Amino acid sequence: MNTRQLQYVLTVAQEKSFSKAAEKLHVSQPSLSQYVQRLEEELETELFDRSSIPLKLTYTGSLYCDTAKEFLSLEDQLVAQIKDAANSKRGRISIGISPYRTTYLLPPVLREFRRRYPDIEIELNEKRNQELEELLLSGDVDVAVTVLPLRNDQLVHQVLFNEKIVLAVPKEGFDRFIPAQTRGKPLASVDLELLKDAPFIALTSDYRLHDIMLNLCKEAGFTPNIILYCRNIEAVRAMVIEGLGVSILPYNPYIFLHSRIHPDYYTLEGLSDSREIAISFKKNRYLTNAAKAFVRILKDTLRDGNFGETV
């Protein structure tokens, strides 16, 4: 059994199609099918249920893929350790992060990282938090900036800072919802109940922030009138800026450096919520010198900058 066999089977399992896997692997579909069939004959078991559309793994196929992932991960770590020992100034790092935090968090960190380590290749994987955890588990990223708590006990983390959850309101057209004495004052306290008749912009239900919004409104005694759902935080913020509605969003002062236009942000009177942002890793996974350098520079930048309440 060799690395190519493992990668071929994993790609077919991922794509759920021999033709799509063959295209991704840059081999012909008949060759790939024959290759997997010979492997199945060698193992005396079927790895795929070919009667299923899309293609599904059999029980033994699932066992094979689980072990294959671990094997390839160990191989990657071995190669990384050897390269580290050979030259600590070269290498590659794969970073997982949400698109939202890429915008306000990464630019100063990567600028300093590139200055110190110009020969280290950087790969960004911009995904939602749950997908970032999956990338960590599969070994497709070395480190990831995540929201706590993590769902899998195979992942470990180091807390970076606390991110406030605040009310975002358009600068115009919503004066009737905000008391005159607090209107326009950054992070002034506002009673969320005053917004019970306001239109809300929300993230879709597969985001944690969606549930945070509903829970805060419930604590304030109402169900929000959600007129629009968006797939990312920046889209929600843009809709609020355009005056379509209000929203509950994470707040960090550093975002003001990336946009000249922004909504008014208020803290919630009698209601407080925040979330911990962390740098996360897979337990017992070897961290390359490049990954360690990135984490070190990230922490230094947070400590010296204005990213919120650092830990």
Side-chain angles (χ1 to χ4, degrees):
M1 196 173 301
N2 55 50
T3 299
R4 184 169 63 170
Q5 286 178 326
L6 301 175
Q7 193 60 62
Y8 277 14
V9 173
L10 285 174
T11 304
V12 174
Q14 181 182 20
E15 298 298 324
K16 299 180 181 179
S17 162
F18 279 101
S19 58
K20 291 180 180 179
E23 183 178 350
K24 190 171 183 178
L25 292 165
H26 304 292
V27 299
S28 70
Q29 190 270 332
S31 295
L32 178 60
S33 296
Q34 291 171 15
Y35 194 93
V36 173
Q37 187 174 358
R38 286 197 298 271
L39 174 61
E40 289 176 321
E41 291 172 355
E42 179 184 332
L43 297 173
E44 298 182 352
T45 185
E46 290 188 350
L47 301 176
F48 294 97
D49 179 0
R50 290 166 174 77
S51 66
S52 172
I53 301 177
L55 203 65
K56 289 183 180 180
L57 286 166
T58 61
Y59 175 71
T60 51
S62 296
L63 292 177
Y64 183 97
C65 286
D66 289 344
T67 303
K69 290 176 183 177
E70 289 296 325
F71 183 90
L72 292 175
S73 177
L74 288 171
E75 183 181 51
D76 288 343
Q77 292 181 63
L78 175 60
V79 171
Q81 291 181 61
I82 293 172
K83 287 183 177 180
D84 269 2
N87 190 341
S88 62
K89 288 291 185 178
R90 295 183 180 274
R92 178 178 175 274
I93 178 174
S94 181
I95 303 163
I97 191 168
S98 71
Y100 169 66
R101 288 187 186 81
T102 297
T103 302
Y104 81 81
L105 181 61
L106 276 194
V109 178
L110 293 186
R111 181 178 63 244
E112 180 61 18
F113 185 88
R114 290 290 298 164
R115 186 185 72 81
R116 296 191 202 177
Y117 304 96
D119 295 322
I120 292 180
E121 179 185 349
I122 301 168
E123 178 186 76
L124 291 183
N125 284 272
E126 297 180 281
K127 301 289 184 181
R128 295 177 303 162
N129 205 70
Q130 184 173 347
E131 293 172 301
L132 292 176
E133 291 191 29
E134 293 170 357
L135 290 175
L136 284 169
L137 290 169
S138 66
D140 290 327
V141 297
D142 300 303
V143 298
V145 178
T146 60
V147 178
L148 298 183
L150 299 173
R151 293 182 170 90
N152 195 292
D153 60 8
Q154 291 301 306
L155 301 178
V156 293
H157 68 271
Q158 298 172 15
V159 176
L160 296 172
F161 61 92
N162 292 321
E163 187 175 67
K164 291 181 179 179
I165 303 299
V166 299
L167 173 69
V169 180
K171 287 187 174 296
E172 298 179 356
F174 285 72
D175 289 355
R176 66 188 185 279
F177 297 108
I178 307 297
Q181 64 270 24
T182 58
R183 195 176 304 148
K185 294 182 179 179
L187 297 181
S189 181
V190 170
D191 185 353
L192 185 58
E193 186 181 6
L194 297 175
L195 282 295
K196 63 182 180 181
D197 295 323
F200 275 74
I201 312 297
L203 285 165
T204 51
S205 60
D206 50 339
Y207 282 82
R208 293 183 185 180
L209 203 58
H210 172 89
D211 293 335
I212 289 175
M213 171 187 283
L214 294 184
N215 290 335
L216 287 171
C217 290
K218 183 178 180 180
E219 288 183 50
F222 69 96
T223 300
N225 172 29
I226 300 174
I227 64 165
L228 182 65
Y229 290 92
C230 298
R231 293 290 302 175
N232 64 73
I233 292 175
E234 279 304 308
V236 173
R237 196 170 74 94
M239 298 300 174
V240 175
I241 290 171
E242 289 299 321
L244 275 73
V246 304
S247 191
I248 301 295
L249 291 174
Y251 172 84
N252 193 292
Y254 201 76
I255 63 177
F256 290 101
L257 298 180
H258 295 274
S259 175
R260 290 179 297 175
I261 304 173
H262 51 83
D264 288 332
Y265 292 105
Y266 301 95
T267 56
L268 302 174
E269 184 179 305
L271 302 172
S272 62
D273 210 332
S274 64
R275 52 189 189 176
E276 291 181 312
I277 308 303
I279 185 74
S280 300
F281 329 85
K282 184 178 181 181
K283 189 183 298 183
N284 299 324
R285 178 177 173 83
Y286 175 77
L287 281 185
T288 65
N289 288 332
K292 291 176 183 176
F294 171 78
V295 173
R296 184 169 59 252
I297 292 171
L298 172 61
K299 289 182 175 180
D300 289 346
T301 305
L302 288 169
R303 185 177 60 250
D304 298 337
N306 189 19
F307 287 85
E309 184 184 346
T310 56
V311 177

